[in-house]
Amino acid sequence: MTPAAPTQAFQVTLLGTRLKEISDAELIAELRAKLKLSPEQAGSLLTGRRTVKRGVDMAAAQRLVGIFTQIGLKAVVENMPAPAPRAAAPAKPIVKEESRPPAPEQRNPLVTLQALASQNLPKPRTSPGYVLSLLVVTLLCVAMPAIYLCFTAGIAAGWVWYLTHIHLHLPRSIHLIVLAYAVPGLAGAVLLLFLLRPIFARRPREDDALTIDASKEPGLVDGVRALCRAIGVSAPHEIHVTWDANASVHFRNGWRGLLTGRKVLTIGMSLVAGLNAQQFVGVLAHEFGHFAQRVGMTCSFIVNSVNAWLERCAHGEDPWEQRLRRSWSDAADENEESTFSWLISWCAGATLIAIAGTRRLMAALFQVSFRLTQHMSRQMEFDADRYEALLAGSDTFRVTACNLRGLNRAFGEINRKNIAAWREKRLLRDIPKAVAAHFAAFDSKRLAEIQEELQEETTTRYWDSHPPDNARIENAERQRSPGLYREAAPAALMFRDFRGWCERATRRFYREQEVEFEESMLRGEEEVLGLVQGRDGQREQLVRFFNGQFQPWPLLCLVEPAASPKLPADWQAAIDEIRKRSPDLTRAWQKANMAEESRPLLRIAATLNLSTQEVAVGGPPRTAQELSRELELVVGRRMESYHVLAEGFSLYALRIKHAIASMPAAERQKAAAARAVLIELCALEREIAGIEELTGAITIHQDALEEGEQDQLSDGWLQRIAELAAHVLAKVDRIPQTITVGDTVGGYIRSRCPSLPPPDRKWDAKRVAEGAWPMPDVFHQFYMLALGELLSLCEAAEKARGIKPIRLVA
């Protein structure tokens, strides 16, 4: 009997691509519900390309692919690879059991942390002299508000005496008596109200924080409690999570928290992502170490509260004061000089002068108090550092200090890249992860810079609240503490849902910064940072391609020139001609760009009939008529520099035409589309330059107006801005593009200028002009994206054909 042919087997592979915008948590929930997987199994399916099922028939494979597609993951059916021929099994070497190296043990850092509950750390000794100095400094600090209260009481007593005795010293004139009582009496009452208000004013309300639920992170909460028990302080009442690379502990609800002892621990997830467990626990020990010295912490809280109150009174914004200033301004602007408005104006003005003097007094008291208390603050940092050294070890202190500096530097760089990506509607989904990865990629040079920066900061100024890191490191290393907690595992393992907390903290950061975003904009670090890196590379290509000639304005026109004997037909000859004209092109482009930048001032001079003596336009002295003619030449592109640029732009158009013609079909189509977009954008250059000119002129003109002076020009300019913006939007809404977000150029501009009217609605001119204010910048940003896209393809084509670029010109 002939055996049956075996049925062909297939395998199902996940490609690591998502078919829709969906979070990891939602994917895991869907996978668990439809495939009955554990959380760990479901999470493992989100780690890139992965074969999930082997040896199934086509029907079963297609059913599984359908399930993954419904969930939102891209999966494919593949043929099973042919089995490799079996080789003879090699003889097993005889190895004694005791000679095998032990398998590495993956330890949970929380287990060791929770074991600290049985420890009782030795508390640093505090001398009676140190405690006495804390009390003296605290009393001196409290004396500052006492001085303020005495000052207020003195003004109140003087005001009451004035009202009850001034009539004894005035002549018998009813008008003089009314005036003597009305102005000082009303001004004194308002001043006393403002002086008493800070005493009863509430502290600024704390924002709702991202709080860790003990039921979701029981291991972390128990570990923090164990750490507090070892240090000898009460556990925090709440644990908050933020995005930054820092940690802190403070009393909950201010003075009420001081009395109840309730504390709040705030953990920055970038800190957790960038440190190991030993370093992270050391930082927490430092923060809780502040509370181990009960007298010192109480004194510090009182001092910091008093300083914060003094600073708010001296420099904080007061809505009552703003209303008083508006009332005074309105009374001063009234055309009818009635007795009542005159009286109100005088009283409000006298009160504002008195309030300004009071703020100066509060500022002086704050500076005195702040300087008196900084020595205490520095000493408390040294005391808290001892707990960090006891827990994490003296040898770890320096590494932790450097890592903290590095993480904060990494955050600044990641944040700048995130801002750049936001222009193209991309944002990092997980900032802490990106910060930690960026810091981990620091090379030896950058790490040496951080070390050098730390070594250079060795001086403690009188008003510094923290001692230099170098002094703190030396103080910790003198203890020679081996450390009680030496777990080198990543600190992120101490969280059950570390990624989820990081993503939630990232979203909260965007909301705090008032960043308007949608869930579809949140992307992984590879996509966001790769996008920014690609744009940075395009800017470098821009410098290389133009050999330093390029200027923002005027825009490079790539319209193919008509045949002319002056223009070379050969690709390399066109570049050689550009090289030959490079000095003239560079000067002409710079001069034209400077002329564009001067347009707002020229517009003001032409409108108001001003000369260079009256408006700050650079160059030799010119009359108002000469400035008007100069503006006409710039707007009409009739300056000599534009004639030089027209020939240079024609050469660049030929260069790019040859490069596109040499490209493969796919690249040629992409480059031709980018060039077509650039040509259409250049056709709108005059309108965009006009909007930029008028917005700049309005800004300069309004800044120059004196208080109360009427603006007679802006309304007409706003009307013109609205007309230009409407013309530009009508054009760009019909220009398709695939370079960045938005199906059209108009779609991108509208995404960056959300205050613009939608295409199907009409608004009044002033509202349109206000929405169009950022249009020139956004337009130019898109122009640069399109130009970078084109030049990257052209540069690759020139390298492939051996074309020599422009060389440096002496």
Side-chain angles (χ1 to χ4, degrees):
M1 180 180 291
T2 304
T7 304
Q8 184 177 0
F10 299 91
Q11 66 183 20
V12 177
T13 301
L14 286 171
L15 300 182
T17 304
R18 301 185 186 184
L19 301 175
K20 57 184 178 181
E21 290 295 332
I22 186 171
S23 66
D24 289 352
E26 293 172 326
L27 279 176
I28 291 174
E30 290 282 344
L31 289 169
R32 293 188 64 192
K34 294 186 180 297
L35 299 178
K36 310 299 182 185
L37 302 177
S38 67
E40 292 77 14
Q41 291 172 329
S44 67
L45 298 182
L46 308 181
T47 56
R49 184 182 178 91
R50 186 182 182 90
T51 300
V52 295
K53 194 73 173 179
R54 292 185 175 90
V56 295
D57 58 21
M58 177 58 74
Q62 289 179 343
R63 282 197 300 272
L64 189 56
V65 169
I67 293 174
F68 284 125
T69 302
Q70 184 180 2
I71 293 172
L73 296 175
K74 187 171 183 179
V76 295
V77 179
E78 297 177 334
N79 293 324
M80 285 281 292
R86 297 183 61 182
K92 295 183 179 180
I94 301 175
V95 180
K96 294 183 179 181
E97 189 68 26
E98 60 271 15
S99 66
R100 292 179 181 175
E105 182 182 0
Q106 182 67 39
R107 301 179 61 179
N108 187 343
L110 286 174
V111 175
T112 312
L113 180 61
Q114 293 165 1
L116 290 175
S118 59
Q119 298 284 343
N120 190 10
L121 299 182
K123 293 187 178 181
R125 294 181 179 180
T126 54
S127 64
Y130 173 62
V131 175
L132 180 61
S133 66
L134 289 180
L135 296 175
V136 170
V137 169
T138 305
L139 289 174
L140 291 174
C141 180
V142 172
M144 300 301 131
I147 293 173
Y148 178 79
L149 292 174
C150 292
F151 173 75
T152 304
I155 290 179
W159 179 67
V160 171
W161 181 93
Y162 180 89
L163 294 179
T164 55
H165 292 81
I166 190 61
H167 63 279
L168 301 175
H169 305 278
L170 293 175
R172 299 296 178 178
S173 171
I174 186 64
H175 296 288
L176 186 60
I177 291 175
V178 170
L179 182 63
Y181 270 93
V183 176
L186 185 57
V190 176
L191 175 61
L192 282 174
L193 181 63
F194 274 86
L195 289 174
L196 291 172
R197 184 170 180 266
I199 301 174
F200 302 100
R202 296 181 179 180
R203 294 181 58 185
R205 183 180 176 183
E206 295 183 3
D207 296 333
D208 294 332
L210 185 59
T211 305
I212 286 182
D213 188 348
S215 63
K216 295 182 180 179
E217 297 287 350
L220 175 69
V221 173
D222 291 343
V224 170
R225 289 172 179 169
L227 176 63
C228 292
R229 198 172 297 120
I231 295 175
V233 299
S234 60
H237 183 70
E238 292 178 355
I239 300 178
H240 295 169
V241 168
T242 63
W243 48 267
D244 59 353
N246 200 1
S248 64
V249 181
H250 66 274
F251 283 117
R252 189 172 184 268
N253 296 328
W255 290 94
R256 191 188 309 171
L258 176 65
L259 298 175
T260 61
R262 290 189 169 187
K263 298 183 289 293
V264 174
L265 167 63
T266 302
I267 299 174
M269 299 310 290
S270 296
L271 182 80
V272 182
L275 300 182
N276 64 27
Q278 179 182 359
Q279 297 161 356
F280 175 60
V281 169
V283 173
L284 295 185
H286 170 92
E287 298 303 328
F288 286 115
H290 284 298
F291 290 81
Q293 300 290 346
R294 299 184 186 277
V295 175
M297 193 61 212
T298 303
C299 293
S300 175
F301 176 80
I302 294 173
V303 164
N304 291 333
S305 299
V306 169
N307 286 343
W309 179 76
L310 289 171
E311 185 179 23
R312 284 200 307 273
C313 293
H315 307 292
E317 292 186 0
D318 190 336
W320 287 17
E321 185 179 345
Q322 293 174 356
R323 293 192 194 100
L324 182 64
R325 290 185 181 278
R326 284 197 297 269
S327 300
W328 179 59
S329 178
D330 293 342
D333 290 341
E334 287 186 1
N335 295 328
E336 298 180 2
E337 295 186 358
S338 62
T339 303
F340 179 75
S341 63
W342 177 83
L343 182 63
I344 292 295
S345 178
W346 269 83
C347 292
T351 305
L352 288 172
I353 293 173
I355 291 173
T358 303
R359 280 185 174 268
R360 287 192 175 90
L361 172 64
M362 299 295 284
L365 293 176
F366 168 71
Q367 292 296 329
V368 172
S369 176
F370 188 73
R371 281 160 173 74
L372 284 173
T373 57
Q374 293 319 293
H375 175 73
M376 178 190 74
S377 178
R378 293 193 295 270
Q379 187 58 45
M380 291 191 68
E381 289 298 320
F382 283 127
D383 291 341
D385 287 342
R386 297 178 186 177
Y387 286 94
E388 181 175 349
L390 283 171
L391 261 297
S394 298
D395 58 334
T396 309
F397 199 97
R398 181 183 297 273
V399 177
T400 304
C402 292
N403 287 348
L404 289 174
R405 283 177 177 259
L407 287 170
N408 281 285
R409 180 178 295 189
F411 171 78
E413 296 171 1
I414 287 294
N415 192 42
R416 286 191 291 272
K417 294 181 179 181
N418 207 17
I419 292 172
W422 182 58
R423 296 171 183 163
E424 299 188 53
K425 296 302 178 183
R426 303 285 194 276
L427 282 172
L428 285 167
R429 181 184 293 113
D430 187 340
I431 287 180
K433 178 184 176 184
V435 170
H438 187 58
F439 174 58
F442 278 11
D443 55 20
S444 57
K445 180 181 178 181
R446 303 205 63 188
L447 295 175
E449 290 175 357
I450 296 174
Q451 288 276 5
E452 184 179 355
E453 178 185 287
L454 186 146
Q455 294 292 337
E456 289 177 351
E457 295 180 6
T458 57
T459 303
T460 303
R461 295 170 295 183
Y462 184 71
W463 50 86
D464 286 343
S465 61
H466 284 59
D469 282 347
N470 208 33
R472 295 173 62 185
I473 291 169
E474 293 175 358
N475 182 64
E477 290 177 345
R478 279 196 295 268
Q479 296 182 57
R480 297 182 180 178
S481 173
L484 298 174
Y485 186 84
R486 307 288 296 184
E487 294 295 332
L493 296 179
M494 304 174 80
F495 288 76
R496 176 181 290 182
D497 184 22
F498 178 70
R499 178 187 289 183
W501 290 114
C502 288
E503 293 182 0
R504 287 188 284 274
T506 300
R507 289 179 175 86
R508 183 170 185 81
F509 168 70
Y510 294 147
R511 287 191 291 269
E512 288 176 355
Q513 301 300 315
E514 298 181 352
V515 176
E516 297 180 1
F517 70 97
E518 300 174 356
E519 287 295 318
S520 60
M521 294 170 56
L522 302 181
R523 307 297 177 87
E525 61 177 303
E526 295 84 3
E527 179 179 350
V528 173
L529 301 183
L531 173 69
V532 177
Q533 184 177 0
R535 300 309 187 198
D536 291 341
Q538 288 177 353
R539 281 190 286 272
E540 294 175 2
Q541 287 175 336
L542 191 77
V543 175
R544 290 196 302 268
F545 193 86
F546 290 97
N547 193 34
Q549 298 174 19
F550 186 84
Q551 296 292 327
W553 295 99
L555 301 182
L556 173 66
C557 182
L558 296 178
V559 176
E560 186 177 335
S564 170
K566 295 182 179 180
L567 297 176
D570 181 67
W571 188 357
Q572 186 65 63
I575 297 177
D576 293 340
E577 184 65 23
I578 294 173
R579 181 188 306 115
K580 185 169 132 182
R581 302 189 185 191
S582 188
D584 294 334
L585 285 174
T586 301
R587 285 191 294 270
W589 215 337
Q590 289 175 346
K591 188 175 180 179
N593 185 59
M594 292 174 62
E596 289 290 333
E597 292 176 349
S598 69
R599 283 179 60 170
L601 288 173
L602 291 174
R603 175 62 59 187
I604 293 173
T607 306
L608 298 179
N609 198 29
L610 303 176
S611 66
T612 52
Q613 295 179 341
E614 300 164 292
V615 64
V617 180
R622 279 103 76 200
T623 64
Q625 291 74 18
E626 290 173 330
L627 291 179
S628 296
R629 285 194 297 272
E630 183 176 336
L631 177 62
E632 292 175 0
L633 292 175
V634 176
V635 173
R637 302 293 194 265
R638 297 196 301 271
M639 296 179 67
E640 180 61 30
S641 57
Y642 287 100
H643 298 303
V644 177
L645 288 177
E647 295 181 359
F649 288 173
S650 297
L651 291 170
Y652 274 112
L654 284 175
R655 179 184 182 182
I656 290 173
K657 173 189 173 183
H658 286 298
I660 294 176
S662 71
M663 296 177 189
E667 286 82 356
R668 183 167 61 250
Q669 182 179 2
K670 189 175 181 181
R675 180 177 62 176
V677 170
L678 288 169
I679 291 173
E680 296 201 57
L681 294 181
C682 288
L684 297 170
E685 179 189 27
R686 296 196 181 190
E687 289 81 357
I688 287 294
I691 296 175
E692 187 170 53
E693 170 200 305
L694 293 175
T695 55
I698 291 174
T699 302
I700 296 171
H701 175 63
Q702 291 182 344
D703 289 343
L705 291 176
E706 296 182 359
E707 189 172 355
E709 186 179 353
Q710 295 294 324
D711 185 356
Q712 307 260 342
L713 298 178
S714 295
D715 289 343
W717 287 342
L718 289 173
Q719 178 71 36
R720 180 56 180 160
I721 291 174
E723 295 172 358
L724 293 173
H727 176 78
V728 171
L729 289 173
K731 296 288 186 179
V732 296
D733 282 335
R734 296 196 295 267
I735 302 177
Q737 60 90 16
T738 58
I739 296 166
T740 182
V741 294
D743 296 331
T744 63
V745 177
Y748 173 78
I749 291 177
R750 292 180 186 277
S751 71
R752 295 289 314 284
C753 304
S755 298
L756 285 171
D760 56 345
R761 294 182 61 184
K762 291 186 178 180
W763 289 356
D764 62 274
K766 184 176 181 181
R767 191 175 177 186
V768 173
E770 291 173 351
W773 208 267
M775 265 186 68
D777 286 338
V778 176
F779 181 93
H780 197 268
Q781 287 164 8
F782 180 85
Y783 169 83
M784 295 300 292
L785 293 177
L787 184 60
E789 187 90 7
L790 175 61
L791 295 187
S792 62
L793 295 170
C794 291
E795 189 177 50
E798 289 184 352
K799 288 181 179 179
R801 293 302 182 97
I803 299 296
K804 296 180 181 180
I806 307 172
R807 297 293 180 228
L808 293 176
V809 178

